[in-house]
Amino acid sequence: LSAGEPAGSLTEEGARLLDPTGGLVAGIPMCPPEGDAGTGMVATCSVAPRSANVSVGTSVFAMVVLERGISAAHHEIDLVTTPSGDPVAMVHCNNGASELAAWAGLFREFAAAVGSPVAADDAFAALYGAARRGATDGGGLLAYNHLSGEPIVGLVEGRPLVVRTPGSELSLANFMRVQLYGVFATLSLGMEVLASEGVAIDRVRAHGGVFRTAGVAQQVLADALGAPVAVADTASEGGAWGMAVLAAYLHRAETPLHEHLERRVFATTEVSVLDPEPDGAVGYAAYLGRYRAGLAAERAALAALPAG
């Protein structure tokens, strides 16, 4: 079923199964269910052709709504649809912000150990602020966030790595910048395939907790994709909120989904848009070239270091 179509209602038997106390009432209408991909598109108002969204959490995926089909099959690209049935190219990366969060946790442990405990949001704000000051090419450092396998780069298992040459500049600023770069690097490799297909994107809308600290990860993503990136004030909301929006749409389905989102749900939403910065885009491209070459070290680590 497409978004807005009735998908049945909660039966008395189902209500009692979910809530034996009797508080849940039978008859609640059901809407067609969606997974993370569909709800992410809705949560970012990205269901019209030439729109795209990037969702960052434990994994990362980009959803690009297509004007037309692509010419060939690519192992980096999954073909899916919007909740209303329009064709979408998806670039999905198994690994997202978990490794970055692990490093943030380590820095919080250090802060507590020296008697200056810091809240998680404050830690991320400080670390992202440092990343903003880092060299645009990462200062010679590389970060691989692969906690699990990553099909786009041919890894069946993950081995997180931080790699540098003796001449690199090891600083907090560079370290945190490459941790952010590591979140998006595999995504960039998949997006290159869509670029080779001539897929056009007007604007990328981003959401996920990594964007809660204003402007930093957003700018990195704009530089990485070479496209404007918009972050709404609802950006830290995720799939559950997108599903709730689709549930509400069940009673508004006389309007096309993209119009409903633009005119009703997001009409008053505040949105910040950042364009790619020339220096940042050049620096990121240099980093990505080293990242691609350094995947050989990642594969060697997989062969040499057993899991566990």
Side-chain angles (χ1 to χ4, degrees):
L1 298 174
S2 293
E5 294 185 63
S9 60
L10 184 63
T11 64
E12 185 66 39
E13 180 185 9
R16 296 293 70 77
L17 178 66
L18 293 171
D19 179 15
T21 70
L24 192 61
V25 179
I28 296 171
M30 300 291 182
C31 66
E34 287 289 343
D36 284 351
T39 57
M41 285 184 264
V42 171
T44 52
C45 193
S46 301
V47 297
R50 295 176 65 97
S51 66
N53 82 83
V54 171
S55 178
V56 181
T58 303
S59 63
V60 178
F61 52 83
M63 314 295 296
V64 181
V65 186
L66 302 173
E67 296 178 283
R68 54 177 176 77
I70 57 179
S71 65
H74 302 277
H75 81 271
E76 300 92 343
I77 308 298
D78 293 316
L79 294 178
V80 295
T81 69
T82 68
S84 50
D86 292 316
V88 173
M90 176 170 71
V91 179
H92 179 264
C93 307
N94 285 344
N95 298 277
S98 296
E99 179 68 358
L100 185 150
W103 281 106
L106 180 70
F107 287 124
R108 289 185 69 205
E109 278 191 53
F110 174 77
V114 299
S116 300
V118 60
D121 281 355
D122 293 335
F124 277 106
L127 293 171
Y128 283 18
R132 195 193 296 270
R133 300 189 297 273
T136 57
D137 67 350
L141 280 63
L142 286 173
Y144 294 94
N145 68 336
H146 301 136
L147 288 161
S148 63
E150 194 59 82
I152 287 179
V153 293
L155 295 175
V156 295
E157 293 181 15
R159 296 294 185 271
L161 290 178
V162 175
V163 184
R164 69 187 187 97
T165 59
S168 61
E169 183 184 347
L170 181 59
S171 65
L172 180 64
N174 286 342
F175 183 86
M176 289 310 303
R177 181 171 280 261
V178 300
Q179 287 297 326
L180 278 172
Y181 280 1
V183 172
F184 298 118
T186 305
L187 178 70
S188 296
L189 300 180
M191 294 296 283
E192 287 179 350
V193 176
L194 290 182
S196 72
E197 284 275 359
V199 173
I201 302 172
D202 290 332
R203 179 184 293 180
V204 177
R205 296 175 184 258
H207 79 139
V210 73
F211 300 105
R212 287 180 64 177
T213 300
V216 183
Q218 181 183 3
Q219 187 64 63
V220 168
L221 182 59
D223 295 343
L225 299 184
V229 172
V231 173
D233 58 10
T234 55
S236 61
E237 303 291 348
W241 184 71
M243 193 68 244
V245 171
L246 283 171
Y249 179 62
L250 190 62
H251 302 291
R252 305 277 186 179
E254 69 279 359
T255 303
L257 180 60
H258 72 276
E259 291 184 11
H260 170 73
L261 294 178
E262 291 168 2
R263 296 178 183 178
R264 295 190 64 92
V265 179
F266 291 90
T268 60
T269 300
E270 292 188 13
V271 177
S272 163
V273 181
L274 292 180
D275 293 317
E277 293 179 344
D279 290 347
V282 170
Y284 181 83
Y287 175 86
L288 191 63
R290 290 200 312 275
Y291 180 93
R292 197 192 310 265
L295 285 167
E298 181 82 337
R299 297 185 183 102
L302 180 61
L305 302 173

